Amino acid sequence: MSGSAASSATTENLSAPPRPLRRLTLELFGVIALKIALLALIWWVAFAPQPKPDASPDAIAHRLAPTSQPPSAGHP
């Protein structure tokens, strides 16, 4: 008699685990998706490429030109 009771209990245990495993799988994929989205947001805010500076010859000449300072009154 105990043999038939054990076989029915084993059959019930085999049908139960797929539900928690499926839920766990979905939760893990959700957590991974949220982490990827958060990392993408952090990259976009902090590390996104900035606009390129003006590298035209006129802009470089303007940056390298000496500044004009008025002569100070204390020096001849």
Side-chain angles (χ1 to χ4, degrees), residues 42-70:
I42 290 171
W43 178 86
W44 184 72
V45 169
F47 301 110
Q50 300 296 319
K52 292 185 177 180
D54 187 10
S56 67
D58 291 335
I60 293 173
H62 178 70
R63 298 279 285 179
L64 296 177
T67 58
S68 60
Q69 296 177 350

Side-chain angles (χ1 to χ4, degrees), residues 16-33:
R19 286 290 177 189
L21 289 177
R22 180 174 291 165
R23 181 178 174 204
L24 178 63
T25 303
L26 291 174
E27 288 178 2
L28 287 175
F29 278 123
V31 168
I32 291 169

Side-chain angles (χ1 to χ4, degrees), residues 2-28:
S2 65
S4 65
S7 66
S8 66
T10 307
T11 307
E12 290 174 6
N13 287 340
L14 290 177
S15 63
R19 286 290 177 189
L21 289 177
R22 180 174 291 165
R23 181 178 174 204
L24 178 63
T25 303
L26 291 174
E27 288 178 2
L28 287 175

